[in-house]
Amino acid sequence: MHWTYKTSRSGKIEELNVHRIALQDKVLILGGGVAGCAAAIALARKGRSVTLIEREPTSRHKVCGEFLSGEALEDLHALGIGVASLGAVPIDYVRLAAASRAAEAPLPFPAASLTRKALDTALIAEAMAAGVRVERGRSVQALDRTTSDGWRATLDDGATREASTVFLATGKHDLRGYTRPEDPERWVAFKMYFRLAPAQAAELARASELMLYPGGYGGIQPVEGGMANLCCVVQKRHLARVGYRWENFLAKMQQDCPHLAMRLAGAEPLLDKPIAITHIPYGYIRRTTENGLYCIGDQAAVIPSFTGDGISIALHTARGAAAAYLAAEPAPLFQAKLRSALLAQMRLAEFAADGLNNSLSRAVLPFCLRVWPGVISVTARLTRIAQHAAVAPHAVAS
Ligand SMILES: Cc1cc2nc3c(=O)[nH]c(=O)nc-3n(C[C@H](O)[C@H](O)[C@H](O)COP(=O)(O)OP(=O)(O)OC[C@H]3O[C@@H](n4cnc5c(N)ncnc54)[C@H](O)[C@@H]3O)c2cc1C
């Protein structure tokens, strides 16, 4: 502890804990993905002293469908990220394929796709430009309370960082003591880039295709650099049936969904092996938190991937949490308001995900959609986050 002294009006010498005062305006952001960077930029632009800790030394490929919804595009634009200049591909319509049928509908909002590597690189650069102190290649191992209004993060080399306020933005990775619930379906997700045969690339242009198969679903869409991103999820018990091997799973998906087999005919895989993650607690929305700890992004809520809305939620929760902090709204109040704002969208997305993952739907959905493509548009709209949902206080202190 550091101490200093001042003389009060009565002439009495008072001790002040400057260490504590110094902490008061400091914000520590754990995780430099979408949510962490967005919150960091918002706070630094309001003059706050922000330190962001990101475990990867440079941005890497992440498991993600890389679809950017209209809301995400708006939020990114407001942060100063021009996705078009980064090479984002406009996406105008969505195609649903199951068994041997496919149906398509225009998207009811503007959308685009951009690799996470490009997006995360741009976000970190913007955070640094905004004055955020970014520590990369440092992993947070533990987060503890020091006093009733202070936090200490311990890094992998034992060094510590202290602040009065922490934004937890570690995405899919849970910190010890702050774990999210088990994922009962034991989802496994994969991402692989392909260079499609020219005719297939032309067919896929400006479309996001959702493919259904037993035990999960997958999406394929073009991204910058002439690549196509195949991102898919499957329940572990279905993966067990193909010996947990990517090659077998890829072959099974194509067997169950000939549309995918057609897309991948003559395609060249662009990564040595797919990137994979496990433990995805779909449907989770954080109920509570402690004073001074704002949970954002996947640490706040995990929406089923087929909606392509996780990035938008990450940006939205970051924006809301930053505004709440600036207006001195306590973190537990913010987290409770966020939960109520997200609940309906989340339940609807879960309901739709259950529907996609059932054999009857797989058989009839594409047929129904040919008759009523509006269903896609309506589902796409309803599973979006309400952009102006009141999670943040109106008055934002500067
Ligand atoms: C299969 C799948 C497909 C998806 N497809 C889409 C899609 O098409 N469109 C869409 O909008 N959303 C999609 N999502 C969701 C989206 O990827 C996430 O919701 C979004 O990335 C959440 O952002 P975040 O900032 O919370 O986490 P992230 O972007 O994952 O960032 C977390 C960061 O924290 C860092 N970190 C983790 N632990 C530590 C630690 N201990 N110390 C320091 N740093 C740490 C990580 O390195 C990472 O950079 C998909 C998700 C899945 C699983």
Side-chain angles (χ1 to χ4, degrees), residues 41-93:
I41 295 167
L43 295 173
R45 284 184 185 163
K46 290 284 179 188
R48 298 306 188 270
S49 161
V50 184
T51 300
L52 181 148
I53 298 171
E54 164 55 45
R55 71 176 184 179
E56 300 295 341
T58 56
S59 300
R60 294 192 314 156
H61 291 307
K62 281 180 179 159
V63 176
C64 185
E66 304 181 328
F67 175 85
L68 296 173
S69 65
E71 295 85 355
L73 293 176
E74 267 183 45
D75 271 333
L76 288 169
H77 179 74
L79 289 171
I81 309 289
V83 297
S85 65
L86 298 173
V89 177
I91 302 288
D92 301 330
Y93 55 100

Side-chain angles (χ1 to χ4, degrees), residues 17-246:
N17 180 343
V18 287
H19 177 64
R20 196 165 154 186
I21 289 170
L23 279 188
Q24 259 166 18
D25 274 341
K26 279 195 177 166
V27 177
L28 201 51
I29 299 196
L30 312 184
V34 176
C37 285
I41 295 167
L43 295 173
R45 284 184 185 163
K46 290 284 179 188
R48 298 306 188 270
S49 161
V50 184
T51 300
L52 181 148
I53 298 171
E54 164 55 45
R55 71 176 184 179
E56 300 295 341
T58 56
S59 300
R60 294 192 314 156
H61 291 307
K62 281 180 179 159
V63 176
C64 185
E66 304 181 328
F67 175 85
L68 296 173
S69 65
E71 295 85 355
L73 293 176
E74 267 183 45
D75 271 333
L76 288 169
H77 179 74
L79 289 171
I81 309 289
V83 297
S85 65
L86 298 173
V89 177
I91 302 288
D92 301 330
Y93 55 100
V94 59
R95 211 173 271 143
L96 179 72
S100 52
R101 298 193 186 90
E104 73 179 42
L107 273 170
F109 45 78
S113 63
L114 180 69
T115 58
R116 287 300 304 273
K117 197 171 172 180
L119 180 61
D120 290 5
T121 304
L123 280 165
I124 287 258
E126 195 62 40
M128 289 161 91
V132 176
R133 181 162 177 256
V134 176
E135 296 193 37
R136 305 188 81 176
R138 319 280 321 255
S139 170
V140 179
Q141 300 294 302
L143 178 66
D144 301 293
R145 270 211 173 283
T146 46
T147 58
S148 60
D149 55 2
W151 293 92
R152 178 190 299 122
T154 307
L155 310 189
D156 39 8
D157 61 357
T160 57
R161 301 286 178 271
E162 294 189 14
S164 59
T165 304
V166 172
F167 282 59
L168 184 59
T170 52
K172 301 150 190 62
H173 308 279
D174 291 339
L175 275 191
R176 202 165 9 100
Y178 300 90
T179 49
R180 297 165 303 162
E182 282 295 304
D183 152 23
E185 302 293 348
R186 295 168 162 251
W187 290 102
V188 181
F190 295 98
K191 179 174 92 172
M192 179 55 133
Y193 290 119
F194 289 94
R195 191 166 313 282
L196 301 186
Q200 295 304 323
E203 282 276 312
L204 185 64
R206 300 179 85 103
S208 179
E209 297 188 332
L210 180 66
M211 272 148 305
L212 311 182
Y213 43 79
Y217 53 84
I220 187 164
Q221 59 176 8
V223 286
E224 75 271 18
M227 302 187 293
N229 170 351
L230 173 66
C231 187
C232 38
V233 295
V234 61
Q235 289 159 347
K236 193 174 171 187
R237 64 197 160 90
H238 284 264
L239 200 58
R241 290 180 198 156
V242 292
Y244 297 106
R245 294 190 68 85
W246 163 248

Side-chain angles (χ1 to χ4, degrees), residues 286 288-289 293-295 300 331-339:
R286 192 174 287 268
T288 54
T289 185
L293 181 65
Y294 296 84
C295 302
L333 181 58
F334 160 75
Q335 218 73 46
K337 281 166 71 178
L338 182 65
R339 183 179 165 79

